[in-house]
Amino acid sequence: MRTVPAGIARPEYALTGTPSSRQARAIRTDDELAAMRVAGRVAADALIEVGRHVRPGITTDELDRIGHEAMVAAGSYPSTLNYRGFPKSLCTSVNEVVCHGIPDSRRLQDGDIVNVDVTAFIEGVHGDTSCTFLVGHVDPASVALVARTREAMHAGISVVRPGARVRDIGKAIEESVLPHGYSIVREFIGHGIGDQFHTSLQIPHYYDPRNDTVLLPGMTFTVEPMINLGAAGVAMWDDGWTVSTVDRQRTAQFEHTVLVTEDGHELLTVPADGRPADVLFAVDPVGADARPV
């Protein structure tokens, strides 16, 4: 684990690894929302900084160092660090790894895809975002998967407004990706977020009529679909964290933290210039590389 300067405020689990079991509020206060915009900006900036270094030959542990230093330099604590014992400051999920990949000595290779998931804790709240990056020259099927996963995330976000229901998000995501023959991971979903990394609010990325929670102004949560080229099933590695596709085909993910506003929604995980990583590194389904556009 990397170290965090003593002057940086820590979440309640930083020393023990155990998050609080207290009941979370669904609606954020104005002060919390102001803080979450700060946390979201810090996470977005760190994700972009990591993305600028994605290239063949770099290790995922080096990407972890870059993200860690960016978050610490901004005065934030990397939220994943020691969360339930997770040993690193961000997640790097390569190719068939769906989520929670642990940065290590693996070197990225030309043609890989890698999801980088960054969460920052500052001013008492968390901001959570991720982006799947292309490593060098990537095959067209993987490029299309990445591009359409990004589209799926934004399709889900587009229906967020007061009075909508959680199931509407999953329905929009399904309508975006299922016609292309992709599958949607069901075991891992979006979640409420605020002064706690994960709250009880659940945001499935598939349609289920039972997901009838009404969205209200002030709710904050992540939308983070994980889309597979092959089957939807997943398998857990023996490290207790890394999750891969059951058939080892590739998978992609994008994520933003979203606020339900009085008349729609707001993305909280954006940098000051309004161009988050999924915009800055956007790719076209017909083929592109990982250089910023």
Side-chain angles (χ1 to χ4, degrees), residues 53-244:
H53 290 82
V54 169
R55 63 180 183 276
I58 196 169
T59 67
T60 53
D61 189 60
E62 179 69 3
L63 296 180
D64 181 77
R65 180 193 64 79
I66 291 165
H68 177 93
E69 292 180 355
M71 284 184 273
V72 167
S76 73
Y77 181 94
S79 299
T80 62
L81 190 61
N82 204 34
Y83 180 79
R84 300 190 184 276
F86 191 82
K88 290 294 182 175
S89 298
L90 49 78
C91 300
T92 51
S93 301
V94 183
N95 294 337
E96 76 276 12
V97 175
V98 174
C99 60
H100 304 158
I102 302 173
D104 59 15
S105 60
R106 183 200 198 284
R107 294 189 182 277
L108 296 179
Q109 300 178 25
D110 188 67
D112 284 343
I113 61 175
V114 56
N115 177 268
V116 178
D117 193 339
V118 172
T119 312
F121 177 80
I122 187 171
E123 297 191 10
V125 296
H126 302 266
D128 191 1
T129 186
S130 84
C131 181
T132 298
F133 300 97
L134 308 184
V135 185
H137 298 89
V138 177
D139 68 277
S142 296
V143 172
L145 172 69
V146 171
R148 287 170 178 150
T149 301
R150 175 179 179 267
E151 292 172 359
M153 175 192 67
H154 283 292
I157 292 172
S158 71
V159 302
V160 173
R161 61 180 61 86
R165 296 181 184 269
V166 165
R167 64 190 177 211
D168 298 332
I169 298 172
K171 185 173 187 290
I173 291 171
E174 280 194 351
E175 291 173 348
S176 176
V177 300
L178 294 187
H180 298 292
Y182 302 132
S183 62
I184 301 169
V185 171
R186 290 180 168 236
E187 287 84 351
F188 298 91
I189 60 180
H191 55 87
I193 187 171
D195 58 328
Q196 293 171 279
F197 194 168
H198 298 85
T199 75
S200 59
L201 178 61
Q202 298 186 333
I203 309 294
H205 303 116
Y206 54 88
Y207 178 70
D208 185 333
R210 295 171 296 180
N211 296 327
D212 60 356
T213 300
V214 176
L215 302 182
L216 301 173
M219 284 184 170
T220 52
F221 50 83
T222 67
V223 176
E224 47 180 308
M226 302 161 207
I227 308 301
N228 297 348
L229 268 177
V234 300
M236 176 71 74
W237 288 15
D238 59 10
D239 62 17
W241 279 106
T242 308
V243 177
S244 69

Side-chain angles (χ1 to χ4, degrees), residues 20-36:
S20 172
S21 60
R22 61 187 165 84
Q23 185 67 32
R25 287 176 291 101
I27 307 299
R28 302 286 122 203
T29 67
D30 288 344
D31 287 345
E32 285 174 326
L33 292 176
M36 289 188 71

Side-chain angles (χ1 to χ4, degrees), residues 36-45 48 129 256-257 266-279:
M36 289 188 71
R37 292 184 180 94
V38 174
R41 175 180 53 77
V42 170
D45 287 341
I48 289 170
T129 186
H256 274 300
T257 299
E266 175 186 345
L267 298 185
L268 297 179
T269 38
V270 295
D273 68 0
R275 300 179 71 209
D278 74 280
V279 172

